[in-house]
Amino acid sequence: MARVPALVLAAVLTAAAVGCSHAEPDAAAVSTLPVATTTAAATTTTAPRSTTSTTTRAPRASTTTRTSEPEPDKPDAVVGLGEYAVRVSGTVAGRPFRHEAHLYVTGTIAEVGTANGVNALDVCLAVGSPVGVPQVGALWFGSNAGCFPAASAADVDLARTTVTSGPTVEVTVEPDGTVTEATGLNAFAAPAGAAICPSDIGGGSLRLSFDGGGGVTGRVTVTGRAGLCGVGGAETEYVADVTGFLL
């Protein structure tokens, strides 16, 4: 094996030593980078926490659940209370009809003893006399017996009324079948074979829209069975449009 001259060996060792002495400063310089990176990351993490907190509180402050609920006195400002002359036209058991009728709107009649909640308004639609003079299309449908002028039952809650206020006031009346059967109110007249029979209203609704100027439009869609004159039959549907004005 050839021997390396002493001078050459000394030069190699000296170069290695110099290379090692430069490695330490470079490592020290690089080691400072994670510190700067960690600080920046901590700053970035703090910012989203602040944003999240602000975003969470904002919807709570702007919650409108309470203001969207009907206020007891608000419907009266748009809905004229009293008697409306209305026209009701539609079909019952496939038979067409058209009648002049009356719609009665009052403030809350019964505040206690109601099985389906206190009504913000009480509404009664009277089309002829489905029990006394059962002509096709005759109907009585109301939320309380007290708003039918000729009703014998005093202030009996008959249905649930929902009121939604806005540019117009939307009123929905949904019957309580158990009360209807007990009082004999809320019924319509429909053909059943050769007869015309009163039918208790068992389901459906009366939907009305009041425009604030004395006008009203709506639709009544209810169902019942023509069994009150001894003729048992299938369920019958009564569908009609309602339009009119405050007298």
Side-chain angles (χ1 to χ4, degrees), residues 87-91 97 137 206 218-222 238-242:
R87 176 170 293 169
V88 180
S89 58
T91 61
F97 63 83
L206 168 63
R219 189 173 181 84
V220 54
T221 304
V222 292
Y238 181 112
V239 180
D241 292 321
V242 180

Side-chain angles (χ1 to χ4, degrees), residues 4 89 143 219 235:
V4 179
S89 58
S143 61
R219 189 173 181 84
E235 189 172 73

